[in-house]
Amino acid sequence: MRVRSRRKSNSNDNVGTALDRPPLLKFGAKDNPRDYKSGQRGTEECLKHSWNHISGQNCWPAVVIAAGLLLAGVIGLFHAWCVYSIHENLLWFSHLKEVEREISFRTECGLYYSYYKQMLKAPSVQQGLYELIHDNTTESKRTINILQRMNIYQEVFLSILYRILPIQTYLEPIYFYIYTVFALQTVYVFALFITSWLLSDSWLAGALSGVWYILNRVDTTRVEFTISLRENWSIPFFALQVAAITCYLRPQLKPIHQRVVLWLVFVSTFCFCLTWQFNQFVLLVQALIIFTLDCLDFFTAKQVVSLYLMQVLSLLLVWLLQFCNSMILGSLVLSFIVSVLFIKHFQKGLKTGSFVIRVGKLALHTLLVLTLTFTINYSAKKILQLKSDEHIFKFIKAKFGFGATRDFDASLYLCEEAFGVLPLDTFERLAGTVLLYPYLCTLSVLFILLLLVALSNLSTNGSGQASREKEDRTFSMRPDVAYNLLHTVFFGLLAFSTMRMKYLWTGHMCAFTAFGVCGKEVWTLYLRVLHCNTKTTMRLIRYSVPIVILAFLYYKFWPRMMEEISELREFYDPDTVELMEWIRLKTPKRAVFAGSMQLLAGIKLCTGRILTNHPHYEDQALRERTRQVYQVYARQSAEEVHKVLGSVGADYIVLEDSICYERRHSRGCRLRDLLDLANGHIMDGPGENEPDLIPASHPRFCEVIKTDTPPYSTLFSRVFKNKTFHVYKLKKLKKKNKAESGP
């Protein structure tokens, strides 16, 4: 797909850094209850005591809360309008034909959207669900349960909602879908706003976090061009979960309010898990954060167990809804949580004794937990015969240098830029919006404070006197602040290692930085060093600095952002449109197509034809089938390729010049190179080859088939061709008659 300009643009090349989406990061400061006087609660207290205010005990703070929530909604809606406008103006989406709109759902996005379209075309909801549960069009010669294999309950829910609501006459199904995804961006910004507000006790922090999120759109979201990607559905719920956890960990929260907030944690965690297949890995990082803070004595035992149980219950409920998907039961996060809770139950006195004794106990505790985790996980995968996620662990092993690999699946990930390390220009963009430097200041100061408080915690013996000592310390840190600090550290490290994971970090980074600018914690330490820590000075800084930053951001980026949003371009991909129209009009409805994963997802969406393989890679048998189908780009004989394609039931094979003659990747990362390495063949072009590789005995299939010479013309016939695609039909081999095969 290509995009061409509808008018000449004078926009600055760096304008693209103006908007984006992030993950989740938060911080909090410790407020001393003795600082508050009855009847004089100000803006800083309105969130902590919102329950009393809403019941009518104090009218003004309730007004402040309402104003803050309204502002959060306005900023969220503004961001949703921004990404919608960019999406519309980038493609001229409203003027596209239906097939062009569907082609714009690239790669796996098209596959997911096809199930929404399929549900709407079904005669009834019941019939649509039956077809998903007994699907025989996504993988040829197989009947699979789509609801079990993939996370598409959001498509099912939206299709049912579209049927129920009286909107069919004036809102097309595709617009209902994309509007919903963009509306989730409102939820995302709202969650970031609330998180920074809770941490700083100032909704100026919420406003600042929302503005930073919007201005850093390039690094915080890609929703405008990957609408139906699973992360665009799930990350907003993850942000809500972090906001709920932040609220749950706030000091002096009443038991009834704790239970309500825990329910919010559960619901948001469940929605996050239901909408993304990689939920288990994100929750594993979060479980490690909880484990670390528990060991360092920042959380109570009740808080730790409650948060772990919310994760477990969410995963188990998703496991049931996905028809007992074994990938969830075999996940590392479940094994880890079971191990932690089991060992905590039997290992008594973990938080007693001197500093040296406690450190020794924690080291032993960690070793036991990790040992039991890997033991349980290994046993579970052996019992369940689980291989769905082994390609991820092969990728991680190769990425961090635990041995080179020629594994085709792992190499596909290693060679993609999205799975490489975070580029340095990311930090240049973040610094340009005045986000990076206050983030680093907040992070460094609070991380040092965390270490000091952790050392102090480990020096106590866990007695009642020790608890009183904690309250009288010069330095302390609230548990909600500690959680958000480690959240940004852990997910920041994940983003540095894998660029695609930056969307789990940069969003929360905005909220965390806004807390640092508007909260008391960092400014208190700075003012103490300068010996001017007074209430007047604190208030002046907390309110003036964010206002100055907001004014600067408005002055510098508002014109650029409006120019970017108004820049007009147009969808332009005539070759793909021609291919889809030909398939729809000239091939049988039950025809089976083989080709690249990305293209086949579009073929299923635009034409409804049967596929041999697709981009949802979390199945071992499908990964093997994909590797076999991709032999059309390797050095294989015509007979071998015909045999492989026939074994998966293919009627047509679509070859792409962009893959056969690929130049986007360097030597060793082109798809044809990965296939050559996996097959033990020497790669094309000048360069070194490993000594055990041998020359292939056949030319490259995708090149030589175009000569239309035997045996290629005997087994394949070209039925379609344009500048980008070549479609060949497999000829049926004549069976030997009985007379020839007899004695």
Side-chain angles (χ1 to χ4, degrees):
M1 184 189 78
R2 298 186 295 279
V3 173
R4 61 183 184 183
S5 178
R6 279 185 272 161
R7 66 169 175 81
K8 187 175 180 181
S9 173
N10 296 320
S11 59
N12 190 294
D13 291 340
N14 294 326
V15 168
T17 65
L19 288 96
D20 261 49
R21 143 200 303 207
L24 325 141
L25 265 171
K26 295 114 193 179
F27 243 80
K30 181 165 182 175
D31 299 318
N32 190 337
R34 290 173 290 186
D35 291 343
Y36 301 127
K37 298 180 181 180
S38 176
Q40 296 180 345
R41 297 186 181 116
T43 302
E44 297 113 18
E45 292 184 274
C46 60
L47 283 181
K48 182 184 290 185
H49 302 286
S50 60
W51 328 100
N52 294 332
H53 299 330
I54 292 173
S55 64
Q57 293 184 20
N58 194 328
C59 183
W60 172 245
V63 173
V64 174
I65 291 175
L69 294 176
L70 178 62
L71 180 60
V74 168
I75 296 176
L77 289 172
F78 176 75
H79 174 62
W81 173 79
C82 286
V83 292
Y84 163 75
S85 299
I86 292 172
H87 174 261
E88 167 63 27
N89 294 338
L90 180 69
L91 303 174
W92 208 4
F93 194 77
S94 59
H95 288 71
L96 297 180
K97 297 187 296 185
E98 185 67 19
V99 64
E100 292 175 322
R101 290 178 179 178
E102 292 178 346
I103 291 172
S104 70
F105 286 87
R106 298 180 297 174
T107 64
E108 61 186 288
C109 298
L111 180 67
Y112 299 133
Y113 181 78
S114 71
Y115 298 118
Y116 170 73
K117 180 180 176 181
Q118 180 179 327
M119 280 290 295
L120 289 176
K121 283 188 173 182
S124 64
V125 173
Q126 293 81 0
Q127 180 63 26
L129 290 172
Y130 179 84
E131 291 174 359
L132 290 178
I133 295 172
H134 304 87
D135 180 273
N136 57 10
T137 62
T138 302
E139 296 177 16
S140 58
K141 288 191 171 184
R142 291 177 184 167
T143 298
I144 62 175
N145 185 342
I146 299 296
L147 293 179
Q148 180 188 53
R149 179 80 72 80
M150 306 180 193
N151 298 68
I152 62 158
Y153 270 100
Q154 50 268 50
E155 278 75 21
V156 173
F157 174 75
L158 275 192
S159 65
I160 296 174
L161 197 60
Y162 185 79
R163 287 173 179 266
I164 295 174
L165 297 176
I167 57 176
Q168 292 88 345
T169 56
Y170 59 87
L171 187 63
E172 298 176 59
I174 195 168
Y175 276 105
F176 181 66
Y177 187 92
I178 64 175
Y179 286 166
T180 302
V181 177
F182 291 149
L184 279 177
Q185 288 295 297
T186 301
V187 175
Y188 192 2
V189 173
F190 186 87
L192 296 177
F193 189 108
I194 295 300
T195 301
S196 55
W197 188 1
L198 286 167
L199 290 170
S200 64
D201 287 335
S202 170
W203 52 255
L204 265 178
L208 189 57
S209 66
V211 170
W212 265 328
Y213 177 80
I214 294 171
L215 293 180
N216 289 281
R217 177 185 53 82
V218 171
D219 297 301
T220 55
T221 185
R222 48 182 177 165
V223 66
E224 68 272 18
F225 59 90
T226 58
I227 291 177
S228 55
L229 207 62
R230 301 299 84 178
E231 67 188 41
N232 294 330
W233 288 92
S234 62
I235 292 182
F237 293 113
F238 189 49
L240 279 177
Q241 184 234 38
V242 173
I245 290 177
T246 302
C247 185
Y248 175 70
L249 295 175
R250 283 176 66 82
Q252 300 177 345
L253 197 63
K254 295 180 180 179
I256 182 64
H257 300 150
Q258 288 181 345
R259 288 192 289 270
V260 172
V261 174
L262 267 182
W263 271 106
L264 293 176
V265 172
F266 168 72
V267 172
S268 54
T269 306
F270 166 72
C271 292
F272 166 71
C273 294
L274 190 64
T275 52
W276 197 15
Q277 69 269 27
F278 294 136
N279 59 71
Q280 54 170 298
F281 303 104
V282 177
L283 291 186
L284 176 62
V285 176
Q286 192 175 60
L288 290 172
I289 296 171
I290 297 171
F291 176 77
T292 303
L293 292 173
D294 178 34
C295 290
L296 298 179
D297 206 13
F298 282 92
F299 291 171
T300 65
K302 180 182 177 182
Q303 289 173 332
V304 172
V305 173
S306 297
L307 293 176
Y308 279 147
L309 288 180
M310 294 304 102
Q311 289 187 332
V312 171
L313 291 176
S314 299
L315 286 169
L316 292 180
L317 184 55
V318 172
W319 173 71
L320 289 174
L321 287 174
Q322 288 196 283
F323 296 83
C324 304
N325 188 328
S326 59
M327 188 173 173
I328 296 176
L329 284 186
S331 63
L332 263 177
V333 63
L334 271 184
S335 302
F336 178 77
I337 293 174
V338 170
S339 302
V340 171
L341 296 179
F342 179 81
I343 292 177
K344 276 178 68 71
H345 179 73
F346 289 100
Q347 193 175 9
K348 304 296 183 181
L350 187 63
K351 297 183 179 181
T352 59
S354 63
F355 176 80
V356 176
I357 293 175
R358 287 194 64 175
V359 170
K361 287 182 178 180
L362 288 178
L364 177 61
H365 177 68
T366 304
L367 179 62
L368 290 174
V369 167
L370 294 178
T371 302
L372 186 57
T373 296
F374 289 114
T375 302
I376 293 175
N377 190 254
Y378 178 81
S379 303
K381 288 185 175 180
K382 284 294 182 182
I383 294 172
L384 298 171
Q385 298 182 339
L386 179 63
K387 296 182 178 180
S388 300
D389 57 355
E390 65 178 6
H391 64 298
I392 298 174
F393 293 102
K394 288 180 180 178
F395 159 71
I396 294 173
K397 180 180 176 182
K399 182 177 180 63
F400 292 102
F402 297 104
T405 181
R406 290 181 186 172
D407 182 79
F408 177 73
D409 303 319
S411 298
L412 276 179
Y413 286 101
L414 288 170
C415 287
E416 283 299 322
E417 183 183 2
F419 293 92
V421 296
L422 191 67
L424 293 179
D425 61 355
T426 303
F427 302 104
E428 295 178 7
R429 292 192 295 270
L430 296 175
T433 58
V434 201
L435 174 63
L436 182 63
Y437 300 122
Y439 171 76
L440 293 176
C441 291
T442 303
L443 178 65
S444 57
V445 169
L446 290 178
F447 191 76
I448 293 172
L449 180 62
L450 177 81
L451 294 178
L452 293 175
V453 175
L455 289 174
S456 179
N457 289 345
L458 294 176
S459 300
T460 62
N461 57 17
S463 63
Q465 182 180 356
S467 300
R468 290 189 295 273
E469 290 176 358
K470 289 183 181 180
E471 297 179 359
D472 297 331
R473 290 176 186 166
T474 304
F475 297 106
S476 60
M477 180 174 284
R478 292 189 339 233
D480 55 337
V481 175
Y483 170 80
N484 281 276
L485 172 60
L486 286 195
H487 186 105
T488 191
V489 171
F490 278 54
F491 282 99
L493 293 174
L494 183 62
F496 294 155
S497 66
T498 307
M499 185 181 73
R500 186 176 177 180
M501 296 295 105
K502 73 177 180 179
Y503 302 107
L504 287 165
W505 173 58
T506 48
H508 184 262
M509 178 186 185
C510 298
F512 179 75
T513 308
F515 150 69
V517 171
C518 302
K520 295 180 180 178
E521 282 70 13
V522 176
W523 290 120
T524 298
L525 294 174
Y526 285 146
L527 292 177
R528 282 183 179 178
V529 172
L530 298 174
H531 303 289
C532 57
N533 185 22
T534 64
K535 288 185 178 181
T536 303
T537 307
M538 175 66 72
R539 286 189 176 184
L540 179 63
I541 291 178
R542 287 184 63 208
Y543 296 121
S544 62
V545 172
I547 291 174
V548 169
I549 293 176
L550 287 170
F552 170 78
L553 294 176
Y554 176 83
Y555 172 78
K556 183 176 181 180
F557 291 103
W558 179 261
R560 295 185 185 182
M561 188 172 65
M562 290 298 102
E563 188 176 3
E564 180 188 14
I565 291 174
S566 61
E567 184 177 1
L568 302 178
R569 297 188 179 186
E570 182 180 0
F571 173 90
Y572 185 73
D573 194 357
D575 291 346
T576 305
V577 172
E578 183 185 11
L579 173 66
M580 297 303 174
E581 293 287 8
W582 179 86
I583 293 174
R584 186 176 62 84
L585 297 174
K586 301 295 184 180
T587 63
K589 291 185 177 180
R590 298 295 298 177
V592 180
F593 278 79
S596 68
M597 296 182 289
Q598 296 81 359
L599 179 63
L600 290 184
I603 289 176
K604 176 172 174 56
L605 171 58
C606 298
T607 71
R609 299 306 188 260
I610 302 174
L611 312 180
T612 57
N613 52 301
H614 55 80
H616 195 274
Y617 223 45
E618 279 64 56
D619 180 75
Q620 195 272 339
L622 176 67
R623 293 196 295 271
E624 177 58 28
R625 176 183 279 205
T626 299
R627 190 186 66 80
Q628 292 176 351
V629 170
Y630 276 11
Q631 295 303 311
V632 298
Y633 296 108
R635 298 176 183 272
Q636 297 287 358
S637 66
E639 293 81 5
E640 179 64 23
V641 171
H642 191 279
K643 178 182 176 182
V644 168
L645 295 178
S647 68
V648 296
D651 298 313
Y652 298 88
I653 174 69
V654 184
L655 298 177
E656 302 171 61
D657 287 345
S658 59
I659 298 179
C660 189
Y661 306 106
E662 181 184 0
R663 296 178 180 177
R664 184 169 67 95
H665 292 101
S666 60
R667 185 176 185 268
C669 270
R670 300 169 297 189
L671 179 62
R672 62 180 186 267
D673 296 335
L674 302 183
L675 291 165
D676 289 342
L677 290 172
N679 295 335
H681 296 158
I682 292 175
M683 294 182 291
D684 285 343
E688 296 183 358
N689 290 283
E690 296 184 24
D692 59 329
L693 297 177
I694 61 173
S697 56
H698 299 282
R700 195 166 302 282
F701 178 85
C702 65
E703 295 177 356
V704 74
I705 191 177
K706 297 172 185 176
T707 62
D708 202 25
T709 57
Y712 300 95
S713 60
T714 306
L715 301 174
F716 303 90
S717 61
R718 185 162 60 194
V719 292
F720 176 85
K721 174 187 176 182
N722 63 21
K723 291 184 294 183
T724 305
F725 303 104
H726 302 261
V727 181
Y728 293 85
K729 184 175 182 180
L730 276 71
K731 294 182 178 180
K732 304 296 182 183
L733 295 177
K734 295 181 180 180
K735 295 182 180 180
K736 294 182 179 180
N737 57 46
K738 293 183 179 180
E740 292 176 339
S741 60

